[in-house]
Amino acid sequence: MKVPLLDLQAQYATIRDEVRAAIDRVCDSQHFILGPEVAALEDEVAAHCDARFAVGVSSGTDALLAALMAVGVSSGDEVVTSSYSFFATAGTIARLGARPVFVDIDPRSFNLDPTGLAARLTPRTKAIVPVHLFGRCCDMEAIGAVAGARGVPVIEDAAQAIGAVDEQGRIAGTIGAGGCLSFFPSKNLGAFGDGGMVLTNDAALAERLKILRAHGSKPKYHHHLVGGNFRLDALQAAVLRVKLKFLPGWTKARRQNADRYRQLFAERRLDAVVLPEDRPGHIYNQFVIRCPQRDKLQRFLLERGVGTEVYYPVPLHRQACFADLGYAEGDLPESEAAARETLALPIYPELTEVAQRYVVDQIAEFLAR
């Protein structure tokens, strides 16, 4: 049996006619960058996430970059973030000439451990970037308390967490000064290419972001800021507007699949595998298990037709490009352990019970051997 990690063709089959009509609408308009489609998407995503403002940009990476620029991060500053994340989290900090300062994770949530946060802040700290990894919100209450006490803005990396809810009922990306979304095709709300968005409740920050995404110009050809070409394409916005209507149902299906995995693992008593800790607001962009024999398990599942992925095999503090920061093996042990042990299983909305049983059966056979 073949069980892919993600099946976007299955998703597309259910929305094909609406998507093609939306693309035709843009082609007929011949308005391809920003414009009414992007403005409409911004309003719709803001409403979905209970944010006052949403600013569409060219990718999740550019959302982070623009948000950090908007709060004034520049050369010589420090930005505190998690070491266990996609590279863009730290790469955008470095691109601005700032220094990433890494904090270890809570092994249960895979998110930044707030107990290690205050010790990493210095007079040069310009921002804190918590990552809502795999679709689960960070402990924003604790992070916000530390940030507030020091007067440091929080920029949420919510690339994998659109619609996720924290313990206080707040939606990811709306809790800090700004929140960054990614519409990469594999995300829960994925475009037909790159796309991103910054959420904020701050009118001045939203306006600054709109200026920055257009090379820092306002009015046109008049530049008081140096920005970038961070504009969202109308074609991507049109596709995303179609998909956004289905997102609540897709999120519900992902949560149901996560519940089914727990039931199946319990039935087989596979105690050697650690399942992700659940929270009511978790949206499961990924369903990430832990297994000491992760690499062997991944090879075995590949042989049996099961798609998996390792997010992420090298923590950020151990990446070669950050060697000059001076981190050594063992400095952030939980991030390093997660990099060795974690494996993402298929969790996409269209995944069938038969396919999930097959996945768990193969893991059981591997462990029995």
Side-chain angles (χ1 to χ4, degrees), residues 12 15-25 192 239 242:
Y12 180 57
I15 59 174
R16 184 182 187 277
D17 291 345
E18 287 189 65
V19 168
R20 296 299 290 268
I23 292 173
D24 284 345
R25 183 174 68 241
F192 279 13
V239 171
V242 172

Side-chain angles (χ1 to χ4, degrees), residues 16-76:
R16 184 182 187 277
D17 291 345
E18 287 189 65
V19 168
R20 296 299 290 268
I23 292 173
D24 284 345
R25 183 174 68 241
V26 175
C27 292
D28 290 342
S29 76
Q30 289 295 292
H31 196 144
F32 295 112
I33 297 174
L34 297 180
E37 290 288 347
V38 172
L41 176 68
E42 290 171 337
D43 289 343
E44 291 161 10
V45 172
H48 180 84
C49 294
D50 196 24
R52 288 185 64 199
F53 307 100
V55 180
V57 294
S58 41
S59 68
T61 299
D62 287 339
L64 285 165
L65 185 62
L68 291 171
M69 292 170 70
V71 298
V73 173
S74 62
S75 181

Side-chain angles (χ1 to χ4, degrees), residues 2 24 85 93 100 113 117 124-125 130 132 165 212 230 234 255 292:
K2 298 292 185 182
D24 284 345
S85 180
I93 297 168
D113 185 350
L117 181 57
R124 294 199 297 173
T125 303
H132 305 301
V165 180
L212 286 168
F230 305 144
R255 286 197 52 79

